[in-house]
Amino acid sequence: MQLKVISVDDSVTIANHLQNLLEKLDGIMFSGHAFTINEALSLLETNKPDIVFLDIFLKDENGIELLSIIKNKYPQIKIIMLSNHSEMFYKNKTKDLGADYFLDKSYEFDKIPEILKKIAEN
């Protein structure tokens, strides 16, 4: 089974890094990247992903707001939050809104393959 994955982040560097990482993993189909909430909503509608990597802060927008929208409209989608702001406030807030995982972009990218394997097994 292939897991369809999209990412939402306003950083081109992060977007490219994540795409390169995901495309090397077995059982993962990278299905696109969005830089804004509107692009993300369009990708969600057309690609019906299993997993979304979501940044907390998007340029002039709020990833936490998008998390709420996704969980209300597509409760089955697994959300992996990404942020450089790994304070407990953000971890708790996103968990309360339904995020499945929270990773610090600065040093936790190496956890992604293991997390995706866990999701695939469930």
Side-chain angles (χ1 to χ4, degrees), residues 72-97:
N72 284 324
K73 193 169 181 182
Y74 309 99
Q76 76 285 0
I77 293 177
K78 299 289 184 203
I79 306 290
I80 301 170
M81 300 303 296
L82 297 172
S83 185
N84 288 323
H85 303 276
S86 60
E87 295 87 15
M88 284 310 294
F89 171 79
Y90 294 113
K91 289 180 179 183
N92 291 335
K93 176 82 171 160
T94 58
K95 185 177 182 191
D96 290 347
L97 293 171

Side-chain angles (χ1 to χ4, degrees), residues 1-115:
M1 179 180 124
Q2 287 246 307
L3 290 172
K4 285 169 65 172
V5 179
I6 67 167
S7 59
V8 183
D9 197 303
D10 61 351
S11 164
V12 173
T13 303
I14 294 295
N16 290 337
H17 183 60
L18 196 53
Q19 181 175 352
N20 289 335
L21 173 69
L22 295 172
E23 287 177 342
K24 292 176 186 167
L25 298 175
D26 289 337
I28 301 297
M29 183 171 74
F30 182 73
S31 299
H33 181 82
F35 292 97
T36 66
I37 289 178
N38 282 339
E39 288 176 6
L41 294 173
S42 178
L43 261 183
L44 285 161
E45 197 62 39
T46 57
N47 291 329
K48 307 278 190 257
D50 301 297
I51 300 169
V52 175
F53 283 89
L54 176 57
D55 188 9
I56 287 181
F57 296 108
L58 304 169
K59 194 177 302 300
D60 302 324
E61 297 181 306
N62 186 329
I64 295 173
E65 180 183 322
L66 180 57
L67 168 62
S68 292
I69 293 168
I70 294 170
K71 282 300 183 174
N72 284 324
K73 193 169 181 182
Y74 309 99
Q76 76 285 0
I77 293 177
K78 299 289 184 203
I79 306 290
I80 301 170
M81 300 303 296
L82 297 172
S83 185
N84 288 323
H85 303 276
S86 60
E87 295 87 15
M88 284 310 294
F89 171 79
Y90 294 113
K91 289 180 179 183
N92 291 335
K93 176 82 171 160
T94 58
K95 185 177 182 191
D96 290 347
L97 293 171
D100 298 279
Y101 296 91
F102 189 105
L103 297 175
D104 188 311
K105 289 195 260 197
S106 304
Y107 62 90
E108 293 187 307
F109 262 78
D110 61 328
K111 293 183 178 182
I112 290 173
E114 180 185 324
I115 289 170

Side-chain angles (χ1 to χ4, degrees), residues 101 117-122:
Y101 296 91
K117 185 178 178 194
K118 248 186 235 180
I119 292 171
E121 289 170 353
N122 292 335

